Amino acid sequence: QVQLVESGGGSVQDGGSLRLSCAASGYTVSNYCMAWFRQAPGKEREGVAAIDRYGMTAYADSVKGRFTISKDNAKDTLYLQMNSLKPEDTAMYYCASVRSVYCSVRLESYVYNYWGQGTQVTVSS
């Protein structure tokens, strides 16, 4: 059974940094594409960053140059390093993964099969 558990969220000031983690169990992160999504109150879920099994990445325009997605294959953990945070980054952040090894770097939510419960990020001005 695949389980994804996010951690690392919290409250920071405008311009601060956070690192989110997503620990996977029943799943080998090195073999699959994974991604981070976020959803703010009253808004649709949006893709933030994705990474494939070869380390190729994709980012939403709103976070390029500020966020970095990475994987630690030995720990089966996905990360999202978030720097220069802005109030508009405030949202619940979710990690997601696919079921098939045949995947590509995508930011559309329908591509992903497994989801974590989310971790809240709040950025105050």
Side-chain angles (χ1 to χ4, degrees):
Q1 181 179 357
V2 176
Q3 188 173 18
L4 303 174
V5 179
E6 301 96 335
S7 62
S11 297
V12 296
Q13 295 282 340
D14 190 352
S17 297
L18 284 173
R19 189 178 79 155
L20 305 184
S21 300
C22 172
S25 58
Y27 193 80
T28 303
V29 301
S30 62
N31 292 339
Y32 302 95
C33 301
M34 300 186 73
W36 287 97
F37 287 78
R38 66 186 181 187
Q39 188 167 20
K43 294 188 177 182
E44 294 187 355
R45 187 171 296 188
E46 64 168 335
V48 173
I51 186 168
D52 72 4
R53 59 186 301 184
Y54 305 109
M56 184 174 294
T57 59
Y59 296 92
D61 288 343
S62 59
V63 306
K64 281 180 181 177
R66 300 188 298 122
F67 291 10
T68 302
I69 188 172
S70 62
K71 289 192 290 184
D72 185 329
N73 294 332
K75 296 182 178 179
D76 280 330
T77 300
L78 178 73
Y79 299 102
L80 184 67
Q81 178 66 45
M82 305 186 296
N83 298 328
S84 301
L85 282 162
K86 305 175 182 179
E88 51 263 44
D89 294 318
T90 295
M92 185 72 78
Y93 283 71
Y94 301 89
C95 71
S97 60
V98 301
R99 183 182 299 124
S100 172
V101 297
Y102 302 105
C103 61
S104 58
V105 178
R106 301 282 295 275
L107 293 177
E108 295 89 349
S109 61
Y110 71 85
V111 170
Y112 296 87
N113 309 109
Y114 306 110
W115 293 82
Q117 294 300 306
T119 186
Q120 178 67 38
V121 172
T122 302
V123 185
S124 57
S125 57

